[in-house]
């Protein structure tokens, strides 16, 4: 426990409280130690937080200078916060348990976290508080319910799918595109051709057809071949669209980072190293199958497991 | 698949574009009533969405655009805004944002979502409520025109079981709102914020609204210090109310006492000055 100010009463040291760290991860999967960053998070990825807390109750009674005959009651509380900034923008109580006698086994705290309510960060504050008022003459003994006796705070930055991830959404095409040509397609790339300067995540979105259940499941699980096929097609569509448009082709190299043009340029450099835009355009026109296969090869992301 | 509705986000460069467009009256400056398509197209290089985790929802965006326009017109827009019109706009909008079922998740805690609203979607109402000069009212953050009202609505909502559900959003002075909502250690705890708002009202009824600015500033300072030692969020409703009321009572007593000392001091000075004035 570390604070930038001194509390005006006796508190509990780490010797009295046995706590190592929170474990975090996906519900039902093995959890891993919490760290400062959680990758690949989004609103749909609910989380699980687990911790073990041990408490030497007799030592706590002594440490707080409890008067004889007064029963000590301690509250174990967990508050979860979210929102960027120095302080969390929203704090909510997630766990509360009052302990009034020595515990025989460590307390297991297991908290499901609903990710749709998170934003940018996950702050987890575990505290031990005085649960009820105490009557005492000892000026150093905490007396008022809620007095903060021990705390541990974990602060996790949530990587929320900004620049690093492809804008993708799984939905039912029968509902979303009823009566349209793409209704039975396994995926559909929504983009506006001829706007290489547009922000990539704002103007491009890949829809995966939830009605193709097996395919959608493969995408969700990150099946390498499925992803390679789908993303390869996306790369082909976007690169072709830019190369076929003379005006867009001329502006590709001037596009800012994060734009559609900059993403296309990156793919072209990977697939056709040391070739100019004009040469790639020539290859696409003369041998379209080689052009397509080169981009499909570039979409190989290896085994994601 | 999650039910989270993804809203457009505006990058900081997009905010800069908006401000320079307003200043120079270039393409990013919209005529009132400009279509959503035009707004999105004009800022397409700077608007983005979460890559995954929910569904982009154009219907919700259109609904917000229409509802805020209705509220603004009800409050006198486009006639010049008076204090009364602004206050009515703020209160009605806080209630709308505060109870909308699709406007409560983590997406709404993002500054760039609100930057989009103030700069692109609801630009003319930002200008009407404030002016083109006030950057903080366009950029995302606690002073954003609409973000501040969303936070107030979400925090000060007394709940549907109350007849005067939005009472607290209408009674506090702007200074009192700032003391609560520009202090994240307070604003992050909705229950604590409501308790302070209620104590503000009780105290204002007792000593008068005109004297509340100093009282509120000192009371919130005291409460923040208290919260570092005691977890106020842990206290049951009654104990929390008692703690907050005690802070306001302590401050009003100290201020009254200081005023008494000052008045006595001034009287003594006047008394001491009197003979010399007479003798001269």
């Amino acid at each position: 426990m570390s604070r930038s100010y001194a509390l005006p009463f006796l508190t509990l040291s780490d010797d009295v409280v046995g706590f190592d760290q929170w474990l975090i991860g996906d519900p039902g999967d093995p959890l891993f130690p919490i760290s400062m960053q959680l990758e690949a998070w989004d609103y749909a990825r609910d989380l699980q937080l687990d911790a073990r807390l041990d408490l030497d109750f007799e030592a706590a009674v002594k440490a707080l200078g409890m008067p004889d005959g007064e029963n000590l009651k301690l509250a174990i509380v967990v508050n979860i916060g979210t929102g960027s900034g120095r302080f969390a923008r929203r704090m909510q109580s997630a766990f509360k348990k009052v302990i009034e006698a020595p515990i025989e086994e460590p307390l297991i705290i297991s908290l499901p976290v609903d990710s749709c309510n998170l934003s940018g960060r996950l702050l987890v504050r575990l505290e031990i508080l005085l649960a009820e008022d105490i009557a005492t003459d000892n000026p150093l003994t905490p007396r008022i319910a809620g007095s903060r006796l021990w705390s541990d705070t974990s602060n996790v930055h949530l990587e929320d799918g900004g620049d690093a991830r492809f804008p993708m959404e799984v939905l039912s095409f029968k509902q979303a595109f009823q009566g349209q040509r793409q209704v039975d397609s396994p995926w559909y790339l929504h983009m506006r051709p001829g706007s290489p300067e547009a922000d990539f995540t704002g103007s491009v979105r890949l829809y995966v057809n939830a009605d193709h259940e097996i395919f959608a499941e493969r995408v969700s699980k990150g099946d390498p071949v499925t992803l390679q096929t789908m993303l390869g097609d996306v790369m082909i569509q976007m690169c072709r669209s830019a190369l076929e448009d003379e005006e867009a082709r001329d502006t590709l190299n001037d596009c800012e980072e994060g734009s559609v043009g900059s993403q296309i340029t990156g793919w072209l450099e990977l697939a056709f190293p040391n070739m100019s835009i004009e040469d790639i355009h020539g290859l696409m026109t003369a041998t379209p199958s080689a052009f397509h296969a080169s981009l499909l090869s570039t979409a190989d992301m290896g085994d994601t497991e | 698949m999650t039910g989270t509705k993804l809203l457009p986000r505006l990058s900081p460069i997009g905010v800069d574009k908006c401000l320079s467009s307003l200043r120079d009256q270039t393409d990013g400056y919209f005529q009132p009533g400009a279509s959503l398509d035009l707004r999105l197209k004009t800022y397409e290089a700077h608007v983005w969405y979460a890559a995954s985790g929910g569904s982009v929802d154009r219907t919700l965006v259109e609904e917000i655009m229409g509802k805020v326009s209705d509220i603004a017109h009800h409050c006198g827009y486009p006639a010049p805004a008076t204090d009364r019109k602004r206050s009515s706009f703020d209160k009605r909008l806080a209630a709308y944002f505060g109870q909308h079922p699709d406007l409560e998740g983590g997406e709404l805690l993002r500054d760039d979502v609100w930057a989009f609203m103030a700069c692109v979607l609801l630009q003319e109402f930002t200008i009407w409520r404030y002016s083109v000069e006030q950057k903080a009212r366009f950029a995302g953050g606690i002073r954003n025109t609409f973000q501040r009202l969303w936070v107030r609505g979400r925090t000060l909502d007394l709940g549907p079981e109350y007849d005067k559900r939005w009472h607290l959003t209408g009674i506090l002075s702007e200074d009192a709102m700032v003391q609560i909502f520009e202090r994240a250690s307070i604003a992050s705890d909705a229950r604590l914020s409501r308790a302070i708002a209620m104590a503000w009202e009780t105290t204002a009824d007792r000593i008068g609204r005109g004297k509340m600015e100093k009282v509120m500033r000192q009371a919130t300072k005291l409460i923040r210090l208290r919260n570092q030692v005691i977890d106020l969020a842990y206290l049951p409703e009654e104990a929390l109310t008692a703690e907050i009321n005690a802070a306001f009572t302590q401050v009003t007593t100290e201020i009254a006492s200081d005023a008494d000392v000052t008045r006595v001091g001034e009287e003594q000075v006047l008394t001491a000055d009197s003979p010399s004035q007479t003798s001269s």
Side-chain angles (χ1 to χ4, degrees), chain B residues 222-249:
Chain B
L222 212 58
I223 291 163
R224 285 161 61 208
L225 286 171
R226 188 72 168 157
N227 201 25
Q228 291 193 327
V229 178
I230 292 170
D231 182 7
L232 295 175
Y234 174 76
L235 301 182
E237 205 68 41
E238 210 170 296
L240 175 65
T241 304
E243 272 288 336
I244 303 304
N245 285 338
F248 275 83
T249 303

Side-chain angles (χ1 to χ4, degrees), chain B residues 167-221:
Chain B
H167 176 66
L168 294 178
T169 61
I171 51 119
L172 296 184
S173 68
E174 192 55 31
D175 178 76
M177 290 283 194
V178 167
Q179 293 307 313
I180 293 174
F181 292 105
E182 296 196 8
R183 310 275 179 273
S185 60
I186 292 174
S188 61
D189 182 345
R191 210 167 64 97
L192 175 60
S193 300
R194 284 194 294 273
I196 292 174
M198 286 189 249
W200 184 95
E201 184 184 22
T202 307
T203 311
D205 287 346
R206 185 161 53 84
I207 67 170
R209 290 173 68 97
K211 294 177 183 169
M212 283 305 293
E213 192 168 314
K214 190 174 181 185
V215 171
M216 182 66 171
R217 287 176 186 220
Q218 292 194 15
T220 46
K221 203 178 285 181

Side-chain angles (χ1 to χ4, degrees), chain A residues 5 9 42-43 88-91 116 118-119 131 144-146 148 160-161 167-170 192 195 199 201-202 205, chain B residues 1 4 6 44-45 47-48 50-56 104 106-107 109-111 147 188 227-229 231 234-235:
Chain A
Y5 54 91
F9 44 70
D42 66 27
Y43 297 124
R89 292 189 174 181
R90 183 189 282 165
M91 290 292 291
C116 70
L118 298 180
S119 180
I144 301 169
R148 299 183 193 268
D160 76 338
M168 192 158 62
E169 185 176 328
V170 181
R192 186 183 295 116
S195 300
D199 181 87
T201 54
R205 201 157 186 89
Chain B
M1 206 169 111
T4 296
L6 303 177
E44 70 176 357
V47 173
W48 62 293
S52 59
S55 305
V56 172
E104 65 175 348
E107 186 82 330
L109 290 169
R110 296 185 60 96
D111 289 348
Q147 189 170 356
S188 61
N227 201 25
Q228 291 193 327
V229 178
D231 182 7
Y234 174 76
L235 301 182

Side-chain angles (χ1 to χ4, degrees), chain A residues 83-90, chain B residues 90 108-112 114-115 118 130 135-152 155 174 177-188:
Chain A
S84 57
R86 187 167 160 246
F87 293 95
R89 292 189 174 181
R90 183 189 282 165
Chain B
D90 284 0
L108 280 302
L109 290 169
R110 296 185 60 96
D111 289 348
D112 46 12
W114 293 104
Y130 291 100
K135 182 179 178 182
R137 305 302 182 180
F138 290 87
I142 48 175
R143 296 193 172 176
N144 176 285
T145 305
F146 305 101
Q147 189 170 356
R148 60 192 263 287
L149 300 179
W150 176 80
V151 173
R152 291 176 188 188
T155 308
E174 192 55 31
M177 290 283 194
V178 167
Q179 293 307 313
I180 293 174
F181 292 105
E182 296 196 8
R183 310 275 179 273
S185 60
I186 292 174
S188 61

